[in-house]
Amino acid sequence: MPQTLVIIPTYNERENIQSIVARVLSAVPGSEVLVVDDASPDGTGELAGALAARHPNVHVLHRLTKEGLGAAYLEAFTWALSRGYDRLVQLDADGSHLPEQLPDLLAAAETADVVLGSRWVPGGAVRNWPWHRLALSRGGSTYSRILLNLPQQDVTGGFRVYSANALERMQLNRVDSLGYCFQIDMLLHAVRAGLRVVEVPITFIERTHGTSKMSGAIVLEAMARVTRWGLTGRGIRRQGAAAPTPSSRLG
């Protein structure tokens, strides 16, 4: 069976990390977990280290400073690829991504290079968000995919599966977005590389413990960057370039 590594970036997630790791290992027996902690002042890294000492399938990368989601994932990808993992999963620590839905994403990964857990395809859902945050998130995804000519519906979601081969073809050294734009940037690289990208409907649930790192200012800053990308031709060109592999939806 393919060797699956579930990557969980953390910053001040002490209340959530034990539960989410246990749920991942229960949902996908035989998988392994890599916690990537950005020197959380609340002791998340120490707690993750204690988990790793008790469970051979749990590993921890202790980063020295908080440098953003993208930097954490890129370091984790390098760590995983050097150790021969076949499938790499992105999963939030706060419980918004349900580990119980991970088998559906991994099943789709049997025939796809990249699998997106999608809130905005039929069957997808968001729970417990106020209307303004829902509008901001969906509007940001719609704006980005139209401006950059991406065929996928949910371009900002962070519940994803990448094959090792896909990551090796995506020129990760050219991914320079470290914050909210990271997911869009990664998808752009995947589509440009001609990879097969599949969307699987998921249910996204607002966290119940801890504080969200997302804010309107972060989203607006990301949209400003997407606007620059669109105006400078960084998006997928409609003409004069090889057509990307079409996206599809499962579920």
Side-chain angles (χ1 to χ4, degrees):
M1 291 183 62
Q3 194 171 13
T4 299
L5 181 71
V6 181
I7 302 168
I8 307 177
T10 58
Y11 184 78
N12 286 349
E13 295 290 355
R14 185 179 179 87
E15 293 178 281
N16 297 308
I17 190 60
Q18 285 184 285
S19 172
I20 204 72
V21 168
R23 288 169 63 191
V24 167
L25 296 178
S26 176
V28 188
S31 65
E32 299 187 22
V33 172
L34 176 65
V35 178
V36 188
D37 186 67
D38 273 9
S40 297
D42 74 344
T44 301
E46 289 78 3
L47 183 55
L51 288 174
R54 298 196 302 269
H55 299 285
N57 283 19
V58 179
H59 314 277
V60 186
L61 270 178
H62 296 280
R63 290 164 50 80
L64 299 179
T65 59
K66 188 175 186 296
E67 298 178 4
L69 185 71
Y73 271 128
L74 289 173
E75 184 171 343
F77 291 156
T78 299
W79 186 94
L81 291 173
S82 70
R83 287 162 175 79
Y85 290 93
D86 300 301
R87 299 187 299 197
L88 283 68
V89 178
Q90 294 184 184
L91 181 81
D92 284 355
D94 59 13
S96 57
H97 299 150
L98 301 178
E100 294 75 17
Q101 294 186 321
L102 184 50
D104 294 335
L105 274 67
L106 291 173
E110 296 290 338
T111 56
D113 301 303
V114 181
V115 180
L116 311 181
S118 180
R119 300 159 290 181
W120 312 133
V121 296
V126 175
R127 302 263 177 87
N128 303 327
W129 264 9
W131 70 268
H132 57 84
R133 185 168 179 191
L134 186 65
L136 188 65
S137 178
R138 185 154 197 174
S141 187
T142 300
Y143 178 80
S144 299
R145 68 182 181 83
I146 291 174
L147 193 65
L148 301 176
N149 198 31
L150 287 166
Q152 294 76 26
Q153 296 298 306
D154 192 342
V155 305
T156 61
F159 195 6
R160 300 182 175 185
V161 182
Y162 292 96
S163 71
N165 180 64
L167 290 172
E168 289 167 350
R169 292 171 57 188
M170 283 170 56
Q171 297 182 306
L172 294 181
N173 61 314
R174 300 184 64 182
V175 177
D176 57 4
S177 304
L178 302 183
Y180 186 72
C181 263
F182 173 73
Q183 310 295 4
I184 304 170
D185 205 353
M186 287 287 289
L187 183 56
L188 270 172
H189 280 73
V191 174
R192 280 205 202 96
L195 302 176
R196 182 170 185 244
V197 181
V198 169
E199 294 187 270
V200 173
I202 62 165
T203 298
F204 182 99
I205 299 178
E206 175 67 332
R207 67 160 66 227
T208 56
H209 300 290
T211 304
S212 174
K213 284 78 174 177
M214 188 57 60
S215 69
I218 291 174
V219 175
L220 291 174
E221 180 183 1
M223 292 306 96
R225 176 174 284 211
V226 167
T227 301
R228 290 197 299 272
W229 289 350
L231 294 176
T232 57
R234 186 171 177 178
I236 305 303
R237 292 190 295 273
R238 291 177 174 81
Q239 296 179 347
T245 301
S247 173
S248 59
R249 178 178 64 83
L250 299 180

